[in-house]
Amino acid sequence: MYDLEEIKKIEIEDVARKLGMKVDKGHTALCPFHADIVPSLHFNKDKQHWKCYACSKKGDQITLVKEYLGISFNAA
């Protein structure tokens, strides 16, 4: 069993990079959840959250993995 608090200590941008997303110096990336041509997915390093300002998806580390891979919460 995993400790959710330990998982949430992993940097959100590191999670994104491990998923294959290219995070730029402005803490943004192309959103993988819609046909994005200009980076609209933003990472908040202080709160360890992400949000796409085009499609409105948002969440934490677990939500990013869950949505990106199309898997359940427990699998993420």
Side-chain angles (χ1 to χ4, degrees):
M1 182 163 210
Y2 295 101
D3 181 354
L4 291 179
E5 293 307 314
E6 288 298 314
I7 292 170
K8 289 185 177 188
K9 288 180 184 177
I10 302 170
E11 294 283 330
I12 188 72
E13 291 182 4
D14 289 342
V15 172
R17 286 185 188 99
K18 286 181 182 181
L19 291 171
M21 298 171 67
K22 294 182 181 178
V23 181
D24 64 24
K25 292 178 183 177
H27 309 289
T28 62
L30 293 174
C31 181
F33 308 117
H34 64 91
D36 207 5
I37 56 173
V38 175
S40 59
L41 192 144
H42 294 256
F43 298 97
N44 182 321
K45 291 184 69 149
D46 293 331
K47 295 182 180 180
Q48 293 301 310
H49 277 88
W50 59 275
K51 179 178 181 178
C52 176
Y53 287 96
C55 71
S56 299
K57 286 194 180 237
K58 61 184 177 181
D60 60 10
Q61 297 90 329
I62 296 169
T63 308
L64 182 60
V65 172
K66 182 175 144 290
E67 295 285 332
Y68 189 88
L69 298 177
I71 59 177
S72 71
F73 177 84
N74 288 337

